[in-house]
Amino acid sequence: MAEHLILKNGLVFDPMNGIEGEVMDICISDGKIVEKVTESAKTIDLKAHVVMAGGVDPHSHIIGSKLNVARVTAPEVNRHSPYPATKKTRSGVAGIIPSSYATGFLYTTMGYTTVVEPALPATKALGSWEEIDDIPGLDIGLLPLFCNSMISFKYIQDKDISGLAAYIAWTLKKVGGLGVKVVNPGGTYAWAYGKNVCGLDDEVPEWDVTPRTIMTGLAQAVQELGLPHQMHFHPNNLGKPGNVHTTMQQLDAIKRVKPSGKKKKVVHLTHMAFDCLGVVEEGMANWKDVASGGLIFADYYNKNKHFTTDLGQITFGQSMTMTGDGPFQHSLYLLTGGKAKWSNIPVDVELPGGAGIVPFTFEPKSPANSVQWVGSLEFALSIKDLWRFFLSTDHPNGGPFLKYPLLISWLMSKKQRDLWLEKVHKFAVERSTIANIDREYSLNDIAITTRAAPAKILGMEKTKGHLGVGADADIAVYGFNPEKTDLAKNPELILKYFTQTQFTLKGGVQVSKNGVISKQIHSRVHTIHPELNDELSQRIDRELEDMMSRWFSHSFSNYPVPARYREHLEIPRVIDSTSIQA
Amino acid sequence: VKGNTVTLEKAIERATEIIASSKRLLIYGLSSTENDAQREAYRLAELAGGVVDNTTSVCHGPTILGAQESGEVTASLAETRHRADLVIYWGANPAAAHPRHIPHYIRQPGEYIKDPKADRQIWLVDVRETTTARMVDRFLKISSASDLEVIETLRALIRGTKLDVTEVGGINIKELEEIAATMMTTRYGVLFFGLGLTQSWGRHRNIDAAIRLIQDLNAYTKWGLMPMRGHYNVSGANKTSTWVTGYPYAIDFARGYPRFSPGEYTAVDMLARGEADALLNIAADPVAHFPRAAVAHLARIPVINIDPKFNMTSRLAEVNIPAAIAGIECDGAATRMDGLPLYLKKVIDPPEGVIPDRDILRMVIKSLEKVMK
């Protein structure tokens, strides 16, 4: 490994530092980007190549038991996509749900270097750490779920935000989490009773809590702890036509939460393609009358600055829907006429109703799928501030992450959109304004929405998402010259260049070249360790010990992930949360 | 080695020779060891271009095939304890096979089941009156090989179909109607099933039907189902195998990437066909459990056996390597049958010179890498 390296003459796109396609040299020393290096440093000439920071994906399901259930119940999605071993690298499968090694390699060759698993049942965290040991080449974060846990409900019912914050702090530290995930608050719990919730003030069985008190309570606790990443939010009513209105109501409710730090964002609304469906005028809230909610939501986004969002774009073809939203997955199964393979996984008291998994194929000729496809594109092409937004397919829900280049091509090329509008159902045009939108994302816009903005949204902007001094030397080099290549006119080139980098560097090490993995390295896991004051810390230990002994299978002392599974991977970041009163 | 006591290094050397000279290596077992050892076994299988299979292929393999048809609507043990007001065992005998299961989870009070005796019903469906039959509230004796018919009858009744029969599987249709009605009106039901369902007439079709039954019931109330797994970490073997290779068992690495084919790369079939030319067995006892034709072939090929104890396979093995017991003599992670990961602590040191399975496998891999260079 070259300790020192200079990348010379590349065309650099680094929007966080205001650099848009300038020819620059980048110096690397000990895995970091530095001001300058010694003359003896190894030099790579990148003349006529595009250079960006490594891609950052804050929402991709790559770890956990839900993936294994999907792989086991649907081996056919991987059967035709073998990923052979080489002398240096392990084998696997690379279909819709790639195996662990292949997941790391495929992200690497696409130029992504940071990926966050957005749904971790904390009680199963040990298994996730073991799995990460077999996912090479990435910086990884885990977002534990807190939204349907009886422990959260107890604190929310008692209006005890300090207790709730302490429970979050304890869990992030003990199992190694990066932030807080909320999925259908109250709804997945109600699913243990065969029910769901839909209104903000609906009752949750057995508890004096509502979706409103759960989502605002958790968002408030995240702010009081001062976590770098705001509450990561999958709303109620996911996948229901007309839900753009209830989603906006929920975001309005969360708007009342006071930001504690400099960052004014209190919530990240994830996979908006599934949360922002409209209906035609005077239509009913059903799939027959579904219309794009993209424009309505873009208007709301442009006017309200308290939240960030990502696409969750559907990409057509085979996908695998998996969420912590058990009742939604059941309704999707019913939508297939009870034919689909429906799986449900309840998890002790943290997710009693259960996560769900249903294989699903999005058809271009389906009116409903076409409208959902167009809605999120319409949104992405209508918003002003790209810094509160990133690209995703909610892998593998909207489609596998391998479809990112296709998504990029829809955003960068009007020509590509027009080609696809011919393939899909006519409702895509009739029930949206897409045909009239001429906007095309620039390379700089792509750099914002695949690196810089997601790094900021995660609160990792010091070391990720840019190429300034002090950043980690995670770098993607693309093999084309934008001055000579008109990507918008040649969308097939977008697919070609963004599917495979010329080089990917991870921590200054060249990990892939032209789609071939050159080095298999261990991933690292970024975690947040909020420090509480002694009084609160003692209180939470006492209370959790009691609740866990009553409710969990794990005892209080067996719940944490042991150091031996973590220490070789973990990069903990300690934050000061001692001001929260016991 | 060949009945003589040798150093660990000598045993590894011979094991490596066997593996290196084999053309069709079979690695089998893995269900009574911890996850790290399993992960090393996949690495070894990949390196040697062999086949790796775990004990699933002779127990709940049909459960997995059933789930491939229909999905799986699972349950968790803590949720069962807190919420289940109806628990049904089908073709399972936990009193004998899982003696701690009923006292620990089913006869315990939970958050919403304050008095397990009064608030929770336990039923058993089986073809004979087992020890469990004496512990349950209701025992339904069905005739042998009628499981599929009984399950499909229940599904039909739940869908409101009137059936023109007087009895199915030896149970009166009136009683089946009442059973279906109770299943639809219970608050939270869990179906536990054992090898009586997976390995009897119908096999994976029984499981497919049971899964569909539970899925149907979720339109009315809450139900889940769970296989009663045998070896303590067979769930872990499925789990580690699935994330590393994409598939839960029966995996062939001959082409340099994993391929999955139960019936083809499953251990019994590989041996009965005479296809495997060497066996590396870890933490299982195929000689005790496999059919005669498979064991007969085992007697013809070199066998390496890694196990803490002397078992039937040890008698036949050319190389026997004793290993530390995870959870007693070394640490490790395992997966409970409902998918919950558990950390196994080390309690005492292993006997001198005895090391964990994972370390033995790492030594074999290292020496094989040297040989293959």
Side-chain angles (χ1 to χ4, degrees), chain A residues 191-192 194 342 344 346 353, chain B residues 73-75 85-88 123 158 179-180 182-192 213-225:
Chain A
W191 184 230
W342 168 52
N344 189 69
Chain B
V73 183
T74 59
D85 56 350
L86 176 58
V87 170
I88 302 178
W123 298 359
I158 286 164
I179 289 167
T182 309
M183 288 175 88
M184 287 163 78
T185 50
T186 198
R187 282 204 323 268
Y188 192 107
V190 180
L191 172 69
F192 291 99
L213 169 68
I214 297 303
Q215 287 174 338
D216 290 351
L217 282 164
N218 272 278
Y220 305 96
T221 182
K222 195 70 188 152
W223 271 88
L225 82 171

Side-chain angles (χ1 to χ4, degrees), chain A residues 68 79 82 85 90-91 100 130 133-134 189 191 193 341-344 346 348 551 553-554 558 564, chain B residues 35-36 39 46 68 72 74 79 82-83 111-112 215 222 239 242-243 256-257 260 331 336 341 345:
Chain A
N68 267 348
R79 189 170 190 88
R90 298 288 301 273
S91 69
S100 52
E130 292 179 271
D133 213 30
D134 291 336
Y189 184 87
W191 184 230
Y193 299 79
K341 306 181 197 180
W342 168 52
S343 301
N344 189 69
D348 281 12
W551 294 336
S553 292
H554 280 313
N558 278 338
R564 92 129 157 120
Chain B
N35 295 349
D36 284 351
R39 292 164 57 212
E46 182 183 282
Q68 283 176 12
E72 58 183 332
T74 59
E79 283 303 303
H82 291 311
R83 299 179 190 279
E111 191 62 21
Y112 303 111
Q215 287 174 338
K222 195 70 188 152
K239 211 165 117 170
T242 305
W243 86 56
Y257 54 80
F260 168 60
D331 79 340
R336 206 171 64 177
K345 288 180 185 148

